[in-house]
Amino acid sequence: MNRYTRDQMAARVARDIRDGAYVNLGIGLPTLVANHLPKDREIILHTENGLLGMGPAPAPGAEDPDLINAGKQPVTELPGASFFHHADSFAMMRGGHLDCCVLGAFQVSVGGDLANWHTGAPEAIPAVGGAMDLALGAKSVYVMMEHLTKGGESKIVTQCTYPVTALHCVSRIYTDLAVLEVTSQGLRAVDIVDGLSLPELARLSGVPING
Amino acid sequence: MIDKTMATVAEAIADIKDGATVMIGGFGSAGMPSELIDALIAQGARELTIVNNNAGNGDAGLALLLKARRVRKIICSFPRQTDSWHFDTLYRAGEIELELVPQGNLAERIRAAGAGIGAFYTPTGFGTLLAQGKETREIDGRHYVLEYPIRADFALVKALAGDRWGNLVYRKTARNFGPIMATAARCTIAQVQRIVPLGALDPEAVVTPGIFVHRVVCVPAGATGATHGAAA
């Protein structure tokens, strides 16, 4: 079966981010999107620990422990950047000022519910960070994930079985098999990887998908 | 004359008592007031409730306070990290209470305390495990959860520079929780890399006005391994 590579997925997400957008990229797979943002668009990256106008990782030796991203990795500030405290940073999310966030996920439901913070396993130490605020706050919530678990189960589900992060919040799902839009009539396939049919995609997903 | 400066970190934290609620600034290590925490460990206060975004990193600062078993409860958003082994050990042994709060709710609950707000409705967390048992309300078609302020007896924050009135400026993303925690504690203690004369800080650029700060203590960059010599 053909699959989109991680870089192809990231480039596909980047294509859907418009010029002038304020964007938060989640930890993990979504951070790859930064490498694919079109050069002819001015896109401002937000990191919830207090920076708008975040730039790429610094050159080796130029790291500054006071200049990090939400994953606590060293970053840089671009001309036009601004720093702010945590209440302002989350006002940017919760107040609906961010245009878009890109998040990883364990599961997404056909209704757009997101599960990405906790497996619910009894021995797991729960940690939520900014996941719940981000999922609710951005105008568009894009999820980027593998379509299937390592065991071959669909991560797109009728109802999330993992604890949810937020309800009815996901706009689009970008996987290694397809790009899906969450609509009031259910999921709609925007793109499908070459060689995979819509019925086959729906069968693998275990949920109805409209063309 | 107002002079909020203190000679030593030990003097600055001397009256933190057993059972106190202490906010500690920082996001990971950025903005963590490590020297104030080291002084608190040496001072010996126990049964503390700590408010921080995380639950300690590696073998420094807050992690060492946990390791020394001085913390009864931690209120935070992201305890589990690759280097949170001291917290993980205490949590698995049932020796520390965890109140897990979404990061934006944590920030807003601290802000609300500092701003005199009795409680507030937030959309974050609605329909999740973290809102179980909490009052909810639908306002203009959207669902909200009622959240209450988090107040503290003390706030320990790290800033770049301060003056004897307690005005503070911060450095880059080390600002994070400092300005809001400074407003939410009965006594706010700031460690700064340098103390400057009144008037040296541009009033247009002061981030935390001195009214929110009660004690300022100078910890020069590079004084210990926990700070760094950034040229800012």
Side-chain angles (χ1 to χ4, degrees), chain A residues 64-68 70 72 77 83 85-87 90 94 117 123 125-130 132-133 136 163-165, chain B residues 27-28 30 54 77-81 88 91-92 100 103-104 122-124 127-128 142 171-177 228:
Chain A
D64 180 340
D66 285 346
L67 187 51
I68 60 173
K72 304 187 175 77
E77 67 203 54
F83 295 111
H85 62 62
H86 253 80
F90 282 79
R94 207 190 299 106
W117 73 281
E123 74 282 5
I125 297 175
V128 63
M132 290 184 177
D133 305 273
L136 274 168
V164 294
T165 306
Chain B
F27 183 89
N54 302 105
S77 87
F78 208 82
R80 184 197 65 230
Q81 301 166 95
D88 298 358
Y91 183 79
R92 293 215 155 94
L100 189 71
Q103 200 170 131
T122 172
T124 304
T128 75
R142 197 171 189 200
R171 187 169 181 277
K172 302 183 187 281
T173 56
R175 179 182 308 195
N176 57 66
F177 283 90
H228 63 93

